[in-house]
Structures are given as C-alpha cells and as structure tokens.
Amino acid sequence: MFSNPALATTAKITDQDAFASLTAPDDLYSELEEQILRYNSRLDDVPWIVKRIAGNDVILFDITTAEGEKLYAQVITNNGEVLYYEKVSSPAEVDPSVTVTTDEETAREIIDSDSPYNEFKDALGREEISVETESTLKRIALGTLMTVNKVL
C-alpha cells in the first residue's frame, strides 16, 4: 500500500482541505522527528536545564492537530539525548514520566523558529504548552527553565 505522501503525489488534488487532513499529522510527525535529530546533533549546546527536564525519561507528546485529531508520540531519553521516537495510536500505550501537551500551531511555531528553545519557553509562558511530571526535581527544573535566558 502507499503511504500518505505517496498518495499525495499521485492522486489528483481536488479538495485542499481533504489533502491537508491526509498528510498533516504524518507531516507534523516527520517534522518533529527532524527537530529531534537536530536536537541530538546539538546536544552539547542544549541548556543544562532542558537536559534536566528531558534527562532520563519516557515523554509523551500529545498534540491536537488543526483538524482536531490527536497525534501521540513517545520519546525515550537518556542523559538528555533522545534514544527513541515513535508515533503511538493512544496515550494508553505509554507510561510517561513527562507529558507534553500542545496544539499543532504551537508545535509548528517551535519547529519553524530560529530559536526553538526560546519559542518553547515563550509558549510555556503563554500556557500554549503544558508539561506534566510527577517528579518534584523536574517540576523545579521546569520552573527554572522559565527564568533561564540562554539562547539555543
């Protein structure tokens, strides 16, 4: 069978909204994957506080797409480095230590930013992103993140 991008290049596009709903979650997932690769390649430049928040965790991304659908992805980190990234069909498939909830618009603003760290921090301040953790140390680190001015 063809993937959504393959269908998009071979099918006649008659309804742009239908096309967008076919590809948007998969495109967003791929764009997030690219950002993770970028993050890992620049791990030495990542602020210590970000590594502390995403240090040794199972992170669940819960993103509401522009079409109102849910995109869930699991990220497993070790010492701040992303070791594993996978799209999941339900949050029940993941036992997260950190859950990051946002919408597609905010996720794309961070992805497209020249300074993703600052955009993420600003989105936290505007409450466009929610980061939930049971760990007291991670909650303290998250609070510290809001005061760190280092630019990625």
Side-chain angles (χ1 to χ4, degrees), residues 74-86:
Q74 172 181 233
V75 176
I76 298 175
T77 63
N78 184 28
N79 294 321
E81 180 181 11
V82 175
L83 301 178
Y84 183 78
Y85 174 65
E86 174 186 44

Side-chain angles (χ1 to χ4, degrees), residues 3-5 22-31 71 87 108:
S3 67
N4 283 344
L22 259 180
T23 60
D26 288 337
D27 287 349
L28 180 57
Y29 175 80
S30 296
E31 289 177 44
L71 170 66
K87 187 175 183 180
R108 289 190 186 281

Side-chain angles (χ1 to χ4, degrees), residues 28 62-66 69-70 100-110 127-130:
L28 180 57
D62 177 344
I63 302 172
T64 303
T65 68
E69 297 177 27
K70 288 291 200 169
V100 179
T101 306
T102 193
D103 60 27
E104 180 176 357
E105 180 181 357
T106 303
R108 289 190 186 281
E109 287 173 2
I110 294 167
E127 297 183 0
E128 295 171 353
I129 291 180
S130 165

Side-chain angles (χ1 to χ4, degrees), residues 105-135:
E105 180 181 357
T106 303
R108 289 190 186 281
E109 287 173 2
I110 294 167
I111 290 168
D112 295 337
S113 174
D114 290 334
S115 181
Y117 167 76
N118 284 336
E119 187 60 39
F120 177 82
K121 186 174 80 164
D122 291 348
L124 273 172
R126 294 186 304 263
E127 297 183 0
E128 295 171 353
I129 291 180
S130 165
V131 180
E132 297 175 25
T133 178
E134 295 299 317
S135 165

Side-chain angles (χ1 to χ4, degrees), residues 50-68:
V50 173
K51 291 179 193 177
R52 182 69 184 150
I53 292 169
N56 299 303
D57 287 289
V58 175
I59 302 168
L60 172 65
F61 285 119
D62 177 344
I63 302 172
T64 303
T65 68
E67 294 78 28

Side-chain angles (χ1 to χ4, degrees), residues 26-58:
D26 288 337
D27 287 349
L28 180 57
Y29 175 80
S30 296
E31 289 177 44
L32 287 168
E33 184 173 36
E34 289 173 21
Q35 286 301 305
I36 287 170
L37 293 172
R38 178 179 172 208
Y39 167 88
N40 273 349
S41 73
R42 298 179 61 199
L43 195 58
D44 290 339
D45 299 330
V46 172
W48 68 269
I49 196 69
V50 173
K51 291 179 193 177
R52 182 69 184 150
I53 292 169
N56 299 303
D57 287 289
V58 175

